[in-house]
Amino acid sequence: MADSTLLVVNGTVYDHDGDTDRPARADILVRGGRIAEVGAGIAARLAAAGERADETLDAGGMLVLPGFVNAHYHSHDVLMKGAWETPPLEIWLMKALPPSYPKRSREEIKLRALVGAWECLRGGITTIQDMVTLAPWDPDHLDAVLEAYDEIGIRAIVALQFADIPGIASIPFWEEVVPKKFHAVLSGGIEPPKEKVDLFDVVEQQYRRHAARHPRITWGLGPSGPERCSRRFLERLAALSEAEDLPVYTHIYEGKYMALHARQAYGKHGGSLINWLGEVGLLNPRMNLAHSVWLLPQEIERLAQTGTNVVLNPVGNLKTRSGVAPVRQLLQTGVNTALGCDNCSCSDVQNMFQAMKLFSGLTAVSDPEPGPPSAPEALRAATLAGAKGARLEGRLGALKPGYAADFSLIDLGDPSFVPLNSVARQVVYTESGRAVRSVVVEGRVVLRDGRLTQVDQDALREAVERAMVALRKDMAEVGARVDAIHGYLMEAYRRVWAADVGINRYVGHGRL
Ligand SMILES: [Zn+2]
C-alpha cells in the first residue's frame, strides 16, 4: 500500500481555484496514498514509458470531486436515525445520548461506527470528525470505534467527548421547574463519568496510545462545551493542544439556552462563553466551535481576530429548533467556516449536499440581499475549511499534488447534471448524493459502484438488525422516562424562549 499507484483516467477534475463551472478533463496519478500529479495526458505518458499503475480507474463521464470533510459528527447515536420528530435540543439529547443509556456492547459500538462511516462514504464524505461519547468510559470501546475506521477505510479525526460538570447544572430552569423526584432522570448530552478517573489523564493517555496507529486516523480533543468543563480541565487541554498541535472541538451556543446560561453564569466574563474560552487559552486556530448559532456580533469579531474556526450544522439545528446561525456575518468577518452533519438522530442524515444547500440558502431568513455564500464557497466550506480546522491545511480537501488522495467519482450522466450548466452549482443545489459512484480514500477504492469494498455491507446490515433488538428496548424505556416529564421540560424550554439574550436567531418567533 505504501508505494502502490492508482491512476484515475480522463475525469472532469474539480479545482477550487480553476473554472468551477466547467472543470478541465485530467488524469490523476496517486502514489502511496497522495496525489503525485494532476493533468492531461499522464496516462498516455506512462503508457509510452511502459509504466503500469497498480490500479486504473476509468473516470470518463465522471466528475472527480475532493472528498468532503464532515467536520462535526458523532458516531454514538448512528443507530437512532429517524427515531424522533422534532424535539427541542434539551429534550432530544436526553432521549438520544449515551448518559441516559445502560452500557452498550462492544459489538454495538463497532457496528454503529461502521454504519455511520458507510453512510458517509456513500455520500462522498471521506473524512469524519468523530466527537465520540463512550459512556460509561471503557478504553476497549474506543478500540472498537478505531477498528471500525481501520476496516472500512474512511479517514477520521477522533476526539473523545468529555465534561466534568453535570449537564443539568448548565440548562436554565430545569432544576427549579422539574420536581425533585424526577431529577435523577435529567441528564445533559454528556455527564462526568461515575467512575473515579482523571478525565484529562484519560484523554492524554488515549491520544498517546493511538497517535501513531494509522496515518488515516488523527487525533483531536473534545471538551463537550466550555460551560460543562472546569477551568483546570480546559487549561490542561489547551496546553496539550498547543504542545502537540492538536485540533480541539467543542459545542458552542447550539441552543438559545446556552446563550442564556452564559449571560446568567458567566457575568465575570461579560456573559460570554467566547470570552471564557479566551481566558482558558482556547481561542486560536486549533479551536473548532460546532454550531455557533447564538453568537453575538462582537463574539464573531473576536473569533475572526483569533483565527478560531466555526463548524456549522444547519440540518440538525433546524430539527432541534435551535435556530439559524449567522452565516453571512461569519463569512464577511473572515471566520474560517466549515460544515458538519452532526448527530445521526438530530440531523438524521450524513449528507454534505444537504448541509451545503442549507448553508447557501439559510441567509435568506435574515438578509434579503443576494450574495455569499456562493456554490464554490459552499464547496470550500465542505472540504478545505474543515481540513484547515483539523490542522490538515495543504494536505486535505483539494485535488492537487501533495494532497491526500481522497475523492469521489460522481456520475455526470445522472439527471442532476443533465444538462451541465455549472458543476459547482449543480453539486451544491441539485445533487443529493445519488450520483456518487465510487470513493477513494488515501489512494484506495473503498466504495465501488455504490458498494463498500472493505466491509461486507449485507452482513453489516444483518448484524445491525440483530443489535437493534436490545437497543430498541432501551430506547423505549428511556423514551418513556423522558416523556413522563415532557410537560415540565417544555415549560423550562418556553421560559428560555421568553428570555432576552440580546439577539434573535429564530426569525418570526412569536409572530408567524
Ligand atoms: Zn455535536
Side-chain angles (χ1 to χ4, degrees):
M1 188 71 207
D3 300 317
S4 67
T5 50
L6 170 72
L7 184 60
V8 184
V9 182
N10 208 22
T12 297
V13 178
Y14 190 83
D15 178 358
H16 295 291
D17 302 317
D19 183 341
T20 55
D21 294 329
R22 293 258 167 198
R25 290 270 188 87
D27 302 334
I28 301 176
L29 179 63
V30 175
R31 283 189 205 280
R34 301 215 157 264
I35 295 172
E37 216 179 322
V38 181
I42 297 172
R45 194 192 71 220
L46 291 183
E51 280 183 52
R52 263 181 70 99
D54 295 306
E55 182 170 3
T56 299
L57 273 183
D58 179 4
M62 297 277 181
L63 170 66
V64 188
L65 191 70
F68 295 125
V69 178
N70 184 355
H72 187 63
Y73 163 76
H74 306 274
S75 63
H76 46 244
D77 61 331
V78 165
L79 303 180
M80 299 178 186
K81 65 189 71 160
W84 298 285
E85 286 296 338
T86 52
L89 181 65
E90 306 92 301
I91 300 178
W92 159 77
L93 54 85
M94 271 197 290
K95 291 190 171 186
L97 300 186
S100 299
Y101 282 78
K103 186 173 181 178
R104 314 318 298 166
S105 69
R106 187 188 204 279
E107 189 196 17
E108 185 182 312
I109 304 266
K110 183 169 173 181
L111 286 172
R112 69 195 192 190
L114 283 171
V115 174
W118 175 21
E119 187 187 358
C120 287
L121 289 173
R122 188 63 189 79
I125 294 167
T126 52
T127 299
I128 44 176
Q129 193 283 299
D130 187 2
M131 192 175 179
V132 60
T133 305
L134 298 168
W137 164 241
D138 181 343
D140 191 40
H141 283 186
L142 176 59
D143 289 350
V145 173
L146 297 175
E147 272 171 37
Y149 299 151
D150 280 354
E151 287 174 20
I152 203 164
I154 202 165
R155 187 179 302 282
I157 303 145
V158 178
L160 286 169
Q161 180 169 212
F162 275 126
D164 62 351
I165 294 174
I168 62 167
S170 61
I171 302 184
F173 309 120
W174 269 17
E175 284 175 310
E176 57 186 276
V177 168
V178 180
K180 267 230 152 41
K181 63 177 175 176
F182 294 119
H183 279 198
V185 177
L186 297 176
S187 109
I190 181 81
E191 294 293 331
K194 292 187 179 69
E195 315 86 60
K196 236 190 142 21
V197 291
D198 182 318
L199 283 185
F200 178 79
D201 287 348
V202 168
V203 169
E204 184 174 23
Q205 278 166 14
Q206 295 307 317
Y207 157 61
R208 300 216 183 273
R209 190 156 80 90
H210 295 291
R213 179 188 182 96
H214 194 293
R216 265 191 294 106
I217 293 174
T218 54
W219 214 253
L221 304 175
S224 177
E227 72 277 35
R228 298 186 286 280
C229 296
S230 66
R231 173 187 286 270
R232 181 168 154 73
F233 186 38
L234 292 173
E235 285 178 343
R236 293 170 86 192
L237 291 172
L240 180 62
S241 162
E242 186 174 9
E244 301 288 321
D245 196 22
L246 288 175
V248 184
Y249 296 87
T250 197
H251 296 94
I252 199 89
Y253 297 144
E254 180 174 2
K256 184 178 180 183
Y257 71 89
M258 296 167 177
L260 180 60
H261 178 67
R263 308 292 182 271
Q264 292 172 340
Y266 289 81
K268 264 196 276 178
H269 309 282
S272 164
L273 291 171
I274 299 302
N275 290 348
W276 168 235
L277 282 172
E279 184 161 324
V280 296
L282 281 170
L283 279 191
N284 55 54
R286 293 183 300 281
M287 173 54 97
N288 297 266
L289 303 176
H291 302 295
S292 302
V293 174
W294 292 82
L295 285 169
L296 292 162
Q298 60 269 32
E299 291 178 318
I300 295 172
E301 294 285 347
R302 189 147 184 219
L303 300 186
Q305 286 157 10
T306 53
T308 305
N309 311 282
V310 157
V311 186
L312 301 180
N313 303 269
V315 182
N317 291 157
L318 295 184
K319 177 96 188 257
T320 55
R321 302 302 193 240
S322 295
V324 174
V327 174
R328 188 164 289 172
Q329 199 184 350
L330 286 164
L331 295 176
Q332 287 175 340
T333 318
V335 176
N336 181 53
T337 304
L339 293 175
C341 303
D342 205 9
N343 295 78
C344 294
S345 70
C346 77
S347 76
D348 293 0
V349 68
Q350 298 306 316
N351 186 309
M352 294 292 277
F353 298 97
Q354 289 192 12
M356 289 191 297
K357 188 164 182 171
L358 281 184
F359 174 65
S360 301
L362 277 174
T363 50
V365 303
S366 56
D367 192 342
E369 281 290 317
S374 64
E377 286 168 329
L379 271 163
R380 285 172 178 271
T383 53
L384 294 168
K388 184 176 182 183
R391 313 299 288 160
L392 296 170
E393 189 175 21
R395 289 184 278 165
L396 189 68
L399 301 175
K400 293 183 193 294
Y403 278 69
D406 292 14
F407 48 82
S408 57
L409 267 55
I410 296 179
D411 184 1
L412 292 172
D414 184 275
S416 289
F417 300 99
V418 180
L420 189 61
N421 294 310
S422 160
V423 161
R425 285 195 288 280
Q426 283 163 268
V427 165
V428 173
Y429 303 137
T430 317
E431 170 58 7
S432 59
R434 182 181 58 211
V436 174
R437 290 286 174 272
S438 298
V439 174
V440 171
V441 180
E442 207 173 60
R444 180 165 60 165
V445 181
V446 293
L447 188 96
R448 194 188 299 275
D449 298 326
R451 289 186 68 86
L452 296 173
T453 63
Q454 307 298 306
V455 166
D456 180 339
Q457 64 187 52
D458 296 326
L460 173 60
R461 208 180 59 231
E462 286 163 21
V464 167
E465 277 312 316
R466 287 194 296 276
M468 286 308 292
V469 176
L471 181 58
R472 284 207 178 94
K473 186 168 155 287
D474 291 338
M475 285 168 70
E477 281 176 22
V478 170
R481 280 207 303 268
V482 176
D483 287 345
I485 57 169
H486 185 80
Y488 302 116
L489 297 172
M490 285 304 295
E491 186 187 334
Y493 172 68
R494 290 182 182 122
R495 283 200 200 180
V496 170
W497 277 105
D500 182 1
V501 297
I503 36 169
N504 179 21
R505 300 289 181 214
Y506 186 63
V507 172
H509 176 55
R511 281 178 280 129
L512 289 178

